[in-house]
Amino acid sequence: MHAGKISYWQMAVLFQVYITGSALINIQGPLLAAAQNGAWISLLLANIAGFFILFLVLTLHNQFPNECYVNQVRITLGSGWTYITIIPLILVILYINSNIVYGMGQYFTTSMMRETPLFIFHCLILITAGLTAKAGIEVMARMFHLLMYVLLFIVVIMLILPYNVYELGNLLPLAPMGFKSILHGVYVGFGFPYMDILFFAMILYFVKPKQGQTINKWLYLGLFINGIILALTILCSIMGLGPLVFLKKFPLHVLAQLISIGEIVERVEAIFGIALILGSYMKIALLLFILDQAISTLLKVKASQFIYIIATIVLFLSLTMYKNEIELGESGSIMQSAVTFSFGFLPLLVVAIVAKVKNIKGHQATS
């Protein structure tokens, strides 16, 4: 694995595919179930919460630009607290990566290849993602750069083509179940995808610094674009499917089935499915790389030694954690946000505050 640095733009591309990729498949169903027509409002509010998480991550990065999150915790809190903080976080990332793999497999078996066993898809995606992660961050940055353009192009086209079935009236009422349902949607969106921003801090130090410039504006812009894209997918799904959208786990796939332009452009949901699978593949590969970085840094050993072991663990977890997609949905809408808040956000907040206080005291002592 190469341990080289990548440019600001390449890091911004990785960040965009990281927070948008698998969310294109997995976020619409849970948000629509939680907030109904107000799901897009919940998404935008959760996106704002994501800006605060990103602010904390970038605050630590700017203070320790050459260290990953594990070493930032070690420098700030000490070795003992590092193990207490990072080990649960590693388990959380394993859990989330397994959820993404299972969600991708469910997309295949419920929407496209219903007779194929689930483990086939899990094995193939993890073998591919593991090999990609093993190649290193420079290879992923170059490869995902092109794939991001392909992904965004297909998504935008798929949202434009069904324009003839869109009805603005389907968006009303905005909050049929009250504002509490919107807050429930914010809770769901906070746990996924926006709490995942913290995990990205494990690899943020790979960015190549430029004199007088920072990565901040690129990542803030990427997060803003992410919010717009995901909100648009929810809005278009509601306008195109109406009340039917609340009964579908993958509404974007159903929306793609409605595309019909004359007798030429029809039944293009398979192309859209490829785009969705690309997004999940890139997110899974990045999470495998992030897990390897976290474990290697925590144990102070050479990186890239654990990727295949991690992929094997994720495979077994994805095949054994849930009996069906209903259990996955309950886990994503209830458990994931609570787990990521407890073992991810709260420690991040503490580390950022302690690091800031130490930095201020250090400046006062030297002045």
Side-chain angles (χ1 to χ4, degrees), residues 186-225:
V186 175
Y187 172 81
V188 173
F190 177 83
F192 177 81
Y194 294 112
M195 198 57 236
D196 291 11
I197 294 171
L198 165 60
F199 313 147
F200 198 79
M202 300 288 183
I203 61 173
L204 200 52
Y205 75 102
F206 280 108
V207 71
K208 187 186 302 181
K210 287 185 179 180
Q211 188 68 29
Q213 297 185 28
T214 67
I215 189 66
N216 297 25
K217 64 179 181 180
W218 294 101
L219 299 191
Y220 284 129
L221 178 62
L223 186 57
F224 174 77
I225 293 172

Side-chain angles (χ1 to χ4, degrees), residues 14-286:
L14 288 182
F15 181 71
Q16 184 59 241
V17 299
Y18 174 77
I19 58 173
T20 304
S22 64
L24 288 170
I25 294 181
N26 296 315
I27 196 60
Q28 286 82 14
L31 272 183
L32 288 165
Q36 302 285 299
N37 280 14
W40 63 276
I41 302 175
S42 297
L43 188 283
L44 292 176
L45 292 176
N47 184 261
I48 293 173
F51 273 91
F52 180 65
I53 299 170
L54 182 58
F55 168 76
L56 296 177
V57 167
L58 289 175
T59 298
L60 286 172
H61 172 70
N62 293 332
Q63 191 168 340
F64 309 106
N66 297 316
E67 304 291 347
C68 80
Y69 180 65
V70 176
N71 280 337
Q72 291 170 358
V73 176
R74 182 177 282 127
I75 295 169
T76 304
L77 302 181
S79 296
W81 282 105
T82 300
Y83 286 98
I84 295 172
T85 301
I86 299 301
I87 290 177
L89 187 62
I90 289 172
L91 296 177
V92 170
I93 303 174
L94 280 170
Y95 156 70
I96 290 175
N97 206 7
S98 302
N99 282 358
I100 294 171
V101 173
Y102 189 88
M104 187 220 65
Q106 281 294 321
Y107 174 72
F108 268 116
T109 55
T110 60
S111 302
M112 300 178 74
M113 304 178 186
R114 300 181 182 180
E115 301 298 324
T116 307
L118 197 62
F119 75 90
I120 297 294
F121 301 116
H122 291 201
C123 288
L124 290 175
I125 191 69
L126 282 168
I127 290 172
T128 308
L131 291 170
T132 305
K134 184 73 173 178
I137 195 167
E138 291 176 295
V139 173
M140 287 191 291
R142 291 194 296 268
M143 184 170 67
F144 292 176
H145 188 272
L146 173 62
L147 293 181
M148 184 192 73
Y149 293 137
V150 174
L151 173 66
L152 294 181
F153 175 78
I154 293 176
V155 170
V156 170
I157 292 299
M158 290 299 174
L159 293 180
I160 293 174
L161 289 181
Y163 70 94
N164 56 323
V165 301
Y166 291 158
E167 294 185 16
L168 289 175
N170 289 335
L171 296 175
L172 300 175
L174 289 179
M177 300 170 63
F179 192 70
K180 287 184 179 179
S181 64
I182 292 179
L183 291 179
H184 184 198
V186 175
Y187 172 81
V188 173
F190 177 83
F192 177 81
Y194 294 112
M195 198 57 236
D196 291 11
I197 294 171
L198 165 60
F199 313 147
F200 198 79
M202 300 288 183
I203 61 173
L204 200 52
Y205 75 102
F206 280 108
V207 71
K208 187 186 302 181
K210 287 185 179 180
Q211 188 68 29
Q213 297 185 28
T214 67
I215 189 66
N216 297 25
K217 64 179 181 180
W218 294 101
L219 299 191
Y220 284 129
L221 178 62
L223 186 57
F224 174 77
I225 293 172
N226 164 268
I228 298 300
I229 291 173
L230 295 183
L232 281 175
T233 61
I234 294 173
L235 281 169
C236 291
S237 297
I238 296 173
M239 287 191 297
L241 303 179
L244 181 65
V245 74
F246 308 120
L247 304 176
K248 300 296 181 180
K249 181 172 176 58
F250 303 108
L252 285 181
H253 181 85
V254 181
L255 186 65
Q257 290 178 326
L258 300 179
I259 295 174
S260 179
I261 302 177
E263 296 183 357
I264 302 173
V265 181
E266 289 184 332
R267 305 292 298 180
V268 295
E269 65 272 13
I271 298 174
F272 187 64
I274 292 172
L276 296 183
I277 298 309
L278 274 179
S280 288
Y281 150 69
M282 291 187 284
K283 177 67 172 282
I284 293 166
L286 282 168

